[in-house]
Amino acid sequence: MGVAGSGKTTVANLLAERLGADMVDADDLHPAANVAKMASGTPLTDEDRWPWLEAVGRAVRERLAAGRSVVVACSALRRAYREAIAASAEAPVRFAHLDGSRELIAARMAARAGHFMPTGLLDSQFAVLEPLEADEPGFTVAIDGTPEQTADAIALRLRRNGAPPTGS
């Protein structure tokens, strides 16, 4: 989880590979109207997000029911969003918050091409962000290293805690 440009998709792909898990990019589950709204520079509202968050949790639930582990790249910026994903998943979920400075993330966003999320929405992402709290299932990982180092740090933490990789 984390703001746009924090490396969620890249790290989730690497992590899924390391753990032998499926990978789901929550961006792929957005309805076309949400993508168009964000691409136009308009932040999503909670009303836009709730059906999408339910779809994210459902994707986790379906893979777990099929006997697969799954890593999900999803912003999950607020605690209520994370709780909605877990409720829809109907299973324990662990979150890894990819944490970095606004400057680092803005530079990464400016360097990428072909993504619907404009850099202009980064401030709205940070405004909505509620970092993981101590009583939530998950942990924070710094993204100042390479994506490979970030994925390795998450995999190590998951293995050390004996937690199945059912979400990120």
Side-chain angles (χ1 to χ4, degrees):
M1 61 155 285
V3 299
S6 61
K8 296 180 300 289
T9 300
T10 301
V11 170
N13 275 313
L14 292 166
L15 182 61
E17 181 180 296
R18 282 157 174 71
L19 300 175
D22 292 350
M23 192 288 222
V24 172
D25 189 337
D27 283 348
D28 296 339
L29 302 176
H30 272 296
N34 282 10
V35 174
K37 192 171 187 177
M38 289 182 283
S40 75
T42 305
L44 297 179
T45 65
D46 280 352
E47 291 74 31
D48 298 320
R49 288 185 183 99
W50 296 125
W52 168 67
L53 294 166
E54 183 178 327
V56 173
R58 188 172 50 251
V60 171
R61 184 175 68 241
E62 289 168 355
R63 280 158 182 84
L64 294 176
R68 298 286 304 148
S69 294
V70 61
V71 175
V72 179
C74 181
S75 53
L77 296 175
R78 294 182 52 221
R79 183 181 186 128
Y81 304 163
R82 297 185 290 272
E83 290 172 348
I85 291 168
S88 182
E90 299 176 359
V93 201
R94 309 260 305 156
F95 295 92
H97 175 191
L98 305 185
D99 186 39
S101 71
R102 188 205 177 286
E103 295 73 26
L104 172 65
I105 293 170
R108 289 181 178 183
M109 286 181 79
R112 69 183 182 183
H115 196 279
F116 64 83
M117 179 67 98
T119 306
L121 287 181
L122 184 56
D123 288 335
S124 72
Q125 294 262 299
F126 274 105
V128 171
L129 176 64
E130 295 174 0
L132 286 171
E133 296 182 34
D135 65 333
E136 287 187 86
F139 48 89
T140 300
V141 178
I143 60 165
D144 49 355
T146 66
E148 291 80 10
Q149 290 169 324
T150 303
D152 288 343
I154 296 168
L156 177 65
R157 186 91 178 252
L158 288 171
R159 287 184 178 125
R160 187 173 19 164
N161 293 336
T166 58
S168 82

